[in-house]
Amino acid sequence: MYLAPVHRMAQHTPVDAPAGVLYGLIADALRWPVFLPPTLHVEQLEFDGESERLRMWVTAGGEIRSWTTHRVLDPVAHRVEFRQEVLPRPVTSMGGSWSVEPRGPERSLVTLRNDFAVRDNARTDVDWVKRATTDNSRAALANLRRLAERWRRLDHLVLSLEDTASVDAPAEDVYGFLHRFGDRPDALPGALALDIREHTPGVQLMTVRRPGRDGGVRTTESVRIGFPHAGRIVYKDTLDTGQPALLAAHTGEWSVEPDARGEGVTLVARHHAVLDEDAVRQSYGDGPDALARARQDLRTALARDSAHALRLAKEHTERTPSHTART
C-alpha cells in the first residue's frame, strides 16, 4: 500500500502578552469565529475537560471547508494538540499543535505547527494545501497577536447582545422564513439590494448593498450555516467595504426555540462583535469616552437590524397559510 509522505510546517510569532492570556484565546475555540478571521463557525460535539471534538467551518484558499477535529488541551504546558478526523478531499491526514512559551512576564512566543498528507501526494494538491495552510496560519497568528496585545482592554472591545420575539407560528415556518431571508426586499432597513445563494447544502452566501456614508455604496458579505433540525442559523461577516470598518469581526445567530407556554416559539437574535480600535479612533477621536460611544452606537445599530428582522419574521409567519389553518 502506498503511504503518502507527511508534510510538516511551522510558523512562529512573538507576542507582548502573558502566556496564560494567549493560551486562553487558543483554548476557547468556540470564540474563534469572532477572534480568528479564517474560522466561520465552531460546534463543540464532545468535551470531557481535557479533550474535545469540534466541527469547524473555515475559509481555506478562498473556499469554504468543513471538518471534525479532536483536540487535547494542556493548560499547564500552554499547549493544544489537534488532529482532524473527518477531512475534505484531497487531504488524507491533517494535524498539529499550538504551543505558547513564556519569554517574560508579559511576552511570549506562539508556535503553530501543521502536518498533512494528500492522496497520492499529487503536487498540485500539496501546493494548494501548503498555500491555504500558510495563509490561514499567518492570518490566525496575526489576529491572535493583535487581540492578545490588547488583553488589558479586550473585554471593552468585545460586545455581545441578544434580542427575542415571541412568535405564534410553527418552528418550521419561522426557520423557513429565516432561511429564505433574501426573498424579502425589505429584510434589512435601508438596503439597496440583498442576495442569498446556496454555496453547498446548508451553507449560504449573503451579499448586501447599502448606501455608504461617503455617498457611495457599501457592500457586506456573510456566510450563513443552517442547522434546520436544531432551528438555528449562524453567520459571520466576511467582507465589509465600509470605511472605516468599525468592526474587526462580527458573528451572529438566529435560534428558533420552544416557547415556555408550549404555544408557538421564541425567536432569538444574537450578535458577537469585536471593535477595531483604529477605526474607533478615526470615527470618535481619542477622548476618554470614545470607545464607550462607539460601543453604544454599535449596539444600537445591531439591535435596530435585529428588531426589524424579528418583526418581519413574526408578521410573515403568523400570517402564513399553515398557521392560519392551524388556528
Side-chain angles (χ1 to χ4, degrees), residues 17 20 86 88 160 171 277 296 306:
V86 179
S160 296
E277 276 191 310
Q296 184 56 50
S306 290

Side-chain angles (χ1 to χ4, degrees), residues 23 31 92 147 195 248 279 313:
Y23 174 80
R31 298 222 292 180
T92 57
L147 287 166
D195 176 68

Side-chain angles (χ1 to χ4, degrees), residues 35 74 105 135 154 158 165 169 178 187 189 203-204 273 290 296 312 327:
F35 282 161
D74 188 341
D135 291 346
L154 185 57
V158 176
L178 296 172
V203 179
Q204 299 173 319
Q296 184 56 50
L312 282 180
T327 56

Side-chain angles (χ1 to χ4, degrees), residues 233-244:
I233 295 176
V234 299
Y235 61 90
K236 178 173 180 175
D237 293 347
T238 54
L239 172 70
D240 189 341
T241 62
Q243 294 296 327

Side-chain angles (χ1 to χ4, degrees), residues 166-171 257-266 323 326-327:
S166 295
V167 183
D168 187 15
E257 303 175 359
D259 194 300
R261 302 169 302 165
E263 303 174 3
V265 299
T266 297
H323 173 65
R326 181 170 62 91
T327 56

